[in-house]
């Protein structure tokens, strides 16, 4: 059973539909007691960094999520904004992030040939080998929608990279904690493969 965290800013319906399609049981909740009993967690997100962190900090979610991720060590997957929340902070806002992975979230540079947000399909390239990215096709691509990107301190924490004007870390990992910048729920068979891999961790 995968628990999807509802903090008011996620593409929850699409993720749950994709999990149902691939035969993975899931539930969506903001109930702290239910989250305390989660076996695996997905932290989705669409929207502003500070607004998301304000809600997580004020609702009691942060303490429960940190217990599950950092003490109980269950598998956690942050998607899009959910991945950025795993970092120390974002140039989009002023509040600290969760800081579970030594990384920062930055705005794409102002280049004349670069359209921001980065929107559409793009290839990913392998970094550090991990169970989340096993059995990927040679030319694996995912669907992206984002104006900020993540860069990790330690190259070993980068499990996928993407080129868009610059090279950045499009999937990251620190032990049991994973983050992906793209939307697997919008990425057809590539997203199915990744979500199946997460369900099997």
């Amino acid at each position: 059973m995968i628990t999807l965290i509802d903090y008011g800013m996620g593409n929850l319906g699409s993720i749950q539909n994709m999990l149902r399609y691939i035969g993975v049981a899931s539930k969506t909740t903001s109930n702290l007691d239910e989250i305390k009993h989660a076996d695996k967690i997905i932290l989705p997100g669409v929207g502003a960094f500070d607004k998301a962190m304000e809600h997580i900090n004020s609702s009691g979610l942060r303490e429960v999520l940190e217990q599950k991720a950092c003490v109980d060590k269950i598998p956690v997957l942050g998607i899009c904004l959910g991945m950025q929340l795993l970092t120390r902070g974002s140039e989009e806002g002023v509040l600290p992030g969760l800081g579970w992975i030594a990384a920062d979230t930055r705005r794409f540079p102002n280049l004349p040939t670069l359209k921001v947000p980065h929107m559409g399909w793009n290839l990913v390239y392998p970094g550090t080998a991990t169970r989340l990215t096993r059995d990927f096709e040679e030319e694996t691509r995912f669907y992206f929608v984002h104006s900020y990107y993540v860069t990790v301190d330690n190259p070993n924490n980068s499990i996928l990279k993407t080129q868009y004007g610059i090279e950045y870390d499009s999937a990251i990992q620190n032990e049991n904690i994973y983050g992906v910048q793209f939307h697997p729920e919008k990425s057809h068979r590539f997203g199915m493969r990744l979500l199946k891999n997460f369900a099997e961790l």
Side-chain angles (χ1 to χ4, degrees):
M1 172 70 71
I2 294 177
T3 300
L4 305 177
I5 306 300
D6 180 5
Y7 61 102
M9 300 185 66
N11 195 11
L12 296 162
S14 296
I15 298 171
Q16 195 157 30
N17 287 340
M18 177 67 91
L19 290 170
R20 186 181 300 115
Y21 183 78
I22 63 176
V24 174
S26 67
K27 65 179 177 181
T28 297
T29 187
S30 59
N31 184 284
L32 300 182
D33 287 332
E34 289 186 7
I35 297 168
K36 287 176 182 177
H37 294 94
D39 298 316
K40 292 185 179 72
I41 283 174
I42 289 180
L43 184 67
V46 177
F49 188 94
D50 277 6
K51 185 177 179 183
M53 285 307 307
E54 283 173 3
H55 184 83
I56 289 171
N57 290 333
S58 65
S59 63
L61 266 175
R62 182 166 192 155
E63 292 80 4
V64 176
L65 291 174
E66 288 189 337
Q67 173 69 35
K68 299 303 293 183
C70 303
V71 180
D72 298 345
K73 300 281 189 180
I74 70 165
V76 175
L77 175 64
I79 295 176
C80 196
L81 175 61
M83 167 176 161
Q84 296 174 4
L85 298 176
L86 304 177
T87 70
R88 288 178 294 237
S90 173
E91 290 182 349
E92 183 184 16
V94 298
L95 292 179
L98 294 169
W100 297 345
I101 298 180
D104 296 300
T105 302
R106 298 173 176 158
R107 182 169 179 82
F108 279 110
N110 186 18
L111 300 175
T113 57
L114 202 64
K115 290 184 178 180
V116 178
H118 172 207
M119 182 178 297
W121 291 87
N122 204 345
L123 292 169
V124 297
Y125 305 94
T128 301
T130 176
R131 291 172 62 194
L132 188 69
T133 57
R134 69 183 184 276
D135 300 328
F136 273 19
E137 299 175 31
E138 185 173 340
E139 290 197 349
T140 294
R141 56 181 56 84
F142 289 98
Y143 189 83
F144 291 80
V145 184
H146 61 119
S147 299
Y148 296 82
Y149 68 94
V150 168
T151 178
V152 296
D153 293 2
N154 184 341
N156 291 332
N157 292 134
S158 177
I159 59 177
L160 292 173
K161 293 183 178 294
T162 298
Q163 293 276 353
Y164 189 69
I166 58 169
E167 183 179 75
Y168 67 92
D169 301 310
S170 52
I172 58 178
Q173 177 188 2
N174 179 26
E175 298 180 345
N176 57 299
I177 300 167
Y178 302 82
V180 296
Q181 183 59 69
F182 44 79
H183 288 273
E185 76 279 7
K186 297 180 180 179
S187 299
H188 307 317
R189 70 178 188 273
F190 306 107
M192 292 179 201
R193 177 74 268 166
L194 183 136
L195 289 172
K196 282 183 180 178
N197 287 348
F198 180 70
E200 292 168 2
L201 291 175

